[in-house]
Amino acid sequence: MDPNTPSLLEPEEHVLSTLERDGSRRWLRPKLSKGRFLTLRRWVGYALIALFTLLPYLKINGKPAVLLDVIHRDFYIFGGNFRPTDTLLLALLMVTTVLTIFLVTALLGRVWCGWACPQTVYMEFIFRPIERLFDGRKGVGGKPARPPAAWRTGAKYIVFLLICVHLAHIFMAYFVGVDQLFAWSRGNPLNHPFAFLIIAAVVTLMMFDFCFFREQLCIVACPYGRLQSVMVDERSMIISYDPARGEPRGKLGRKKRDALADKGKPEAERTVSLDIMERFGGDCIDCHECVTTCPTGIDIREGLQLECIGCAQCIDACDPIMDKIGRPRGLIRYTSQEALKGKHKRLLRPRVLIYPAIILAVASLFLFLLMTKPPADVTLLRQAGKPYLTLASGEVQNTLRLRIVNRDHTTHNYTVAVKSPDDVTISMTNSDSITLGPGKSYTEPVRVTADPGQFRQGRLQVVLTVTDGDDFSTDETFELLGPRAQARDEHPDDSEPDHD
């Protein structure tokens, strides 16, 4: 589209910070503003990158610290083993996590986005520094004066690709484990095409994100950014511009700067008379440093916006400007909307009391269930096919499937026996016991045989005891099926018409 051609639908202002008014992409090349918050964010960011990388390698009790084995439905989270039967535990863990996010957001706004989100951490501390290096803007940022040479652009994307391949393998290690990943990495991709395609897809998505989509993931795709407006209130600590100090904004001339700086006096003794303030306006000199350094391209002076990820780059950009013109720091700062209006700061309000109370209750229930969870899971299911067989001896036999999961960290030998009623026998198909290592599971067909005279209306309730001979023992109740006609012959009083 010709930029000189007027558009009938052209909006009066930017719809998105990443779109020009004609709808084309507005590429952001934020300047790098060095300051105390950038230094802290770097420490946090590089520590998180190390944590994200090492977590799949760390082991607790011989198992990965974090492993989300979706295929085998086996999850390890910081020493805890969760299986599909732990739906309640997983639900409580998820509720606790979500409520914690609500609480943190109510207190500190989008601190997660600006300080800990993997998208921000990798984008701001890995990919943008590399881009600045190849664009000739190392340590400075901003748009290069002229397009970089083709070899620089090509080399940049090759480095991006290598990093994305590395990150894709780290990502995959969370789902298959590092041992399986190493085995795949050393083998032929044709031997594990599905895994190879998944890694290739992840690499493609990462290249799309970090090379093209970038900050738009936070602005238009992240659901957390969309929901933040209902999580924060006027007392939430967010990054804000102080319009009472800054407005009316305007360029600062030398005389005005000298007058405001009150040169020749210590900073504590500097004063600004009302007539100077009235003549020269607010502290904001409209230098646009806070705008050009924003990684999402917004103007923080326009108030709270969904696009703000709380990275504090605008604070690091503004503070040195205030130092230069002799004004106190904090024109842009962490504060609340209520404080900006001159109201008394109140940390406590209903939501920051209700959230912790619910979190405490849910987390306590989660820990209680986790601590009292038995060291083994036992499941009895009816075998597919005929519900029962009548043996040549006249006895009735039900075949069941006994599934045992060893949740303990040591090997156990499990046996099964009939607790009640008497005269019911049980036998396992392959052996008399089941030996399982830590975290292992096994399904064994078992045959339960009973005299037909014990059935009532074709049903017989039995109790089976599964034990490892040590600390674990559980009773499982199961209803056997048998012939209804046999029951009528031997127990005429209990018989009922057969409507089939």
Side-chain angles (χ1 to χ4, degrees), residues 245 283 318-331:
R245 272 189 56 188
D283 288 353
C318 185
D319 281 350
I321 300 298
M322 293 296 103
D323 293 340
K324 289 180 181 177
I325 66 172
R327 299 299 297 150
R329 291 185 171 193
L331 178 60

Side-chain angles (χ1 to χ4, degrees), residues 165-177:
V165 170
H166 169 72
L167 295 180
H169 280 76
I170 294 295
F171 175 78
M172 198 69 179
Y174 280 92
F175 297 92
V176 301

Side-chain angles (χ1 to χ4, degrees), residues 90-109 112 224 227 230-232 350-366:
L90 291 172
L92 292 174
L93 181 62
M94 186 174 297
V95 170
T96 303
T97 304
V98 171
L99 289 176
T100 302
I101 292 174
F102 285 2
L103 174 62
V104 172
T105 306
L107 290 172
L108 303 174
W112 160 261
Y224 177 56
L227 294 173
V230 297
M231 298 182 195
V232 300
R351 68 172 62 193
V352 299
L353 296 176
I354 294 174
Y355 285 153
I358 300 177
I359 291 172
L360 180 62
V362 176
S364 299
L365 179 60
F366 170 79

Side-chain angles (χ1 to χ4, degrees), residues 250-475:
K251 297 294 184 183
L252 188 66
R254 179 180 296 276
K255 291 183 178 179
K256 175 185 174 185
R257 188 166 59 244
D258 291 345
L260 291 176
D262 203 3
K263 281 190 173 181
K265 293 183 179 180
E267 183 174 350
E269 299 177 6
R270 290 174 183 172
T271 58
V272 180
S273 61
L274 289 176
D275 64 314
I276 292 178
M277 293 298 295
E278 289 173 356
R279 279 192 291 123
F280 297 117
D283 288 353
C284 178
I285 60 173
D286 204 19
C287 62
H288 279 252
E289 288 292 323
C290 59
V291 179
T292 56
T293 196
C294 179
T296 58
I298 66 170
D299 187 343
I300 192 66
R301 298 171 297 178
E302 295 178 1
L304 178 62
Q305 298 159 72
L306 289 176
E307 293 87 347
C308 178
I309 60 172
C311 67
Q313 272 286 272
C314 51
I315 299 179
D316 284 335
C318 185
D319 281 350
I321 300 298
M322 293 296 103
D323 293 340
K324 289 180 181 177
I325 66 172
R327 299 299 297 150
R329 291 185 171 193
L331 178 60
I332 301 174
R333 62 183 184 272
Y334 277 104
T335 185
S336 66
Q337 292 177 295
E338 192 177 62
L340 289 176
K341 293 177 181 177
K343 298 181 180 178
H344 178 65
K345 295 181 181 178
R346 289 184 297 175
L347 178 64
L348 299 180
R349 64 256 198 205
R351 68 172 62 193
V352 299
L353 296 176
I354 294 174
Y355 285 153
I358 300 177
I359 291 172
L360 180 62
V362 176
S364 299
L365 179 60
F366 170 79
L367 291 175
F368 173 77
L369 295 177
L370 184 65
M371 299 300 291
T372 57
K373 190 172 59 173
D377 286 341
V378 176
T379 306
L380 273 175
L381 297 173
R382 195 177 303 282
Q383 183 80 308
K386 290 184 178 180
Y388 65 90
L389 291 176
T390 302
L391 303 180
S393 61
E395 293 177 307
V396 176
Q397 185 177 83
N398 282 232
T399 302
L400 314 179
R401 286 187 299 152
L402 173 64
R403 178 177 174 79
I404 301 177
V405 179
N406 180 12
R407 291 178 173 273
D408 204 1
H409 305 303
T410 59
T411 300
H412 290 275
N413 188 40
Y414 300 94
T415 59
V416 58
V418 178
K419 184 175 183 179
S420 68
D422 297 334
D423 301 329
V424 174
T425 61
I426 187 171
S427 63
M428 288 193 282
T429 302
N430 299 317
S431 63
D432 296 332
S433 62
I434 299 174
T435 302
L436 291 178
K440 299 297 183 183
S441 63
Y442 187 73
T443 301
E444 171 79 9
V446 295
R447 297 186 179 91
V448 184
T449 306
D451 187 273
Q454 295 178 291
F455 286 81
R456 299 290 184 272
Q457 299 181 16
R459 299 179 183 276
L460 174 63
Q461 193 173 73
V462 298
V463 179
L464 305 180
T465 299
V466 180
T467 179
D468 64 353
D470 194 3
D471 297 330
F472 173 74
S473 180
T474 183
D475 293 337

Side-chain angles (χ1 to χ4, degrees), residues 184-205:
W184 284 347
S185 301
R186 292 192 296 267
N188 188 335
L190 296 178
N191 296 332
H192 44 81
F194 183 67
F196 178 77
L197 289 176
I198 289 180
I199 291 181
V202 173
V203 171
T204 302
L205 289 174

